[in-house]
Amino acid sequence: MNTETNNTKLKAFIFDVDGTLSDTERDGHRVAFNRAFEEFGMDWHWSVETYGELLAVTGGKERMKFYVDKFLDKENIPEGIEAKIPELHAAKTRHYTELLSTGAIPLRPGVERLIDEARQRGFRLAIATTTTPENVTALLTHTLGADSIEWFEVIAAGDIVPAKKPGPDIYQYALKEMNLSADECIAFEDSENGLKSSSGANLCTIITINDYTKEHDFGSACIVLDQMGEAEQPFTVIAGNANQASFLNCNLVVELHQQAVTG
Ligand code: XBP
Ligand code: MG
């Protein structure tokens, strides 16, 4: 461990899940929504493109409501749909976790390596996500193994806070549960809504973009990368300074945090 790392104020890494740990949206959540619609005999089908627009709203139940309100003509709104959304969403969660259990959705490059290194170096780990808790458990189990759930001191997810991202509530909840201040933590996000949430909780945030989020505004991030990367699969720096590094490791995380907290 170098001197800088020894002296760091940084104590914990807080990870978003969807889009950050794994590219779950297009081939995971979207497919599961469509399977639930089919199961309920509905003619809704969310294309890759439409789903990109629907991602403006976080949370599956909220996203379905947004679709009804903003994408359907009045005459096409199924009767009693509002009351049916929780049931539809439960089916979607079942389809999603089944999909994950096939191993179809891997972690993004560098995620497992960074988490392993963080654990070895004694950083505390947490999750702050909008998605349903069962989805987090399924993703961790089918990628890092069932034991990995215990690596995360707090899994802040879903309806545990009433206001989802972009509200800061989910990060504030995680900080409170860990009894840490914002300047003792760093967040990992992939989207503008996620960044608004983490920045709203005063967290320095590392962004790894994906196809759905590459045009988002990441002005308040401490760095924007295309991926965490690996030694043999270097990242591209989109904004910020990676100090000659070619992939995200704990030393770079500490340096970025240091720069952010000392301004
Ligand atoms: C993730 C989401 C989630 C998932 C769906 O946002 O928006 O809503 O798409 O999950 P973030 P549920 O990565 O910013 O947390 O259907 O379980 O709500
Ligand atoms: Mg996300």
Side-chain angles (χ1 to χ4, degrees):
M1 210 182 274
N2 65 24
T3 326
E4 196 173 9
T5 308
N6 279 333
N7 292 335
T8 184
K9 205 179 171 189
L10 181 62
K11 296 204 167 57
F13 292 17
I14 312 180
F15 294 93
D16 168 50
V17 175
D18 296 304
T20 301
L21 296 186
S22 172
D23 264 324
T24 49
E25 294 292 6
R26 194 190 69 180
D27 301 328
H29 289 291
R30 186 186 67 90
V31 171
F33 278 112
N34 286 334
R35 287 185 182 168
F37 302 150
E38 251 173 65
E39 183 185 323
F40 277 65
M42 300 165 73
D43 63 358
W44 294 4
H45 181 88
W46 291 352
S47 67
V48 170
E49 202 193 340
T50 301
Y51 195 68
E53 294 173 43
L54 292 168
L55 283 173
V57 169
T58 64
K61 295 187 286 289
E62 294 80 354
R63 189 166 298 143
M64 284 190 267
K65 169 114 182 43
F66 177 60
Y67 179 70
V68 170
D69 293 344
K70 297 277 171 340
F71 286 70
L72 294 182
D73 294 329
K74 259 210 170 81
E75 62 273 18
N76 292 332
I77 298 177
E79 219 184 297
I81 187 67
E82 285 236 9
K84 224 164 137 191
I85 282 179
E87 223 182 305
L88 256 177
H89 189 250
K92 178 259 165 176
T93 300
R94 177 167 35 80
H95 286 294
Y96 181 71
T97 53
E98 272 169 23
L99 204 59
L100 288 181
S101 73
T102 66
I105 320 268
L107 295 178
R108 294 189 64 186
V111 169
E112 181 166 1
R113 174 189 47 73
L114 183 69
I115 288 175
D116 283 346
E117 194 198 348
R119 292 182 66 228
Q120 276 167 30
R121 291 175 63 158
F123 289 107
R124 294 162 64 183
L125 304 178
I127 278 174
T129 175
T130 296
T131 205
T132 303
E134 288 145 87
N135 297 348
V136 182
T137 314
L139 181 72
L140 293 177
T141 303
H142 297 296
T143 54
L144 296 171
D147 292 351
S148 65
I149 294 156
E150 303 302 322
W151 303 347
F152 296 86
E153 194 177 320
V154 181
I155 298 185
D159 298 325
I160 202 158
V161 291
K164 293 186 175 166
K165 298 176 188 177
D169 311 53
I170 197 76
Y171 279 101
Q172 288 164 341
Y173 176 90
L175 290 174
K176 191 156 176 264
E177 288 291 302
M178 286 191 293
N179 199 21
L180 289 174
S181 58
D183 60 0
E184 293 174 307
C185 301
I186 194 158
F188 297 82
E189 273 289 353
D190 71 301
S191 71
E192 192 171 338
N193 276 332
L195 178 62
K196 278 185 182 153
S197 175
S198 58
S199 300
N202 296 319
L203 286 154
C204 160
T205 305
I206 294 175
I207 296 287
T208 46
I209 59 159
N210 56 59
D211 274 351
Y212 274 135
T213 67
K214 58 189 177 199
E215 309 296 339
H216 287 190
D217 177 2
F218 294 122
S220 63
C222 61
I223 199 163
V224 184
L225 307 168
D226 69 331
Q227 57 172 322
M228 292 184 188
E230 297 284 11
E232 65 284 2
Q233 187 181 336
F235 57 39
T236 299
V237 180
I238 294 157
N241 181 1
N243 296 339
Q244 312 294 323
S246 61
F247 62 95
L248 189 67
N249 61 12
C250 285
N251 279 348
L252 179 56
V253 173
V254 167
E255 282 166 29
L256 291 166
H257 176 264
Q258 197 90 353
Q259 281 163 27
V261 297
T262 56

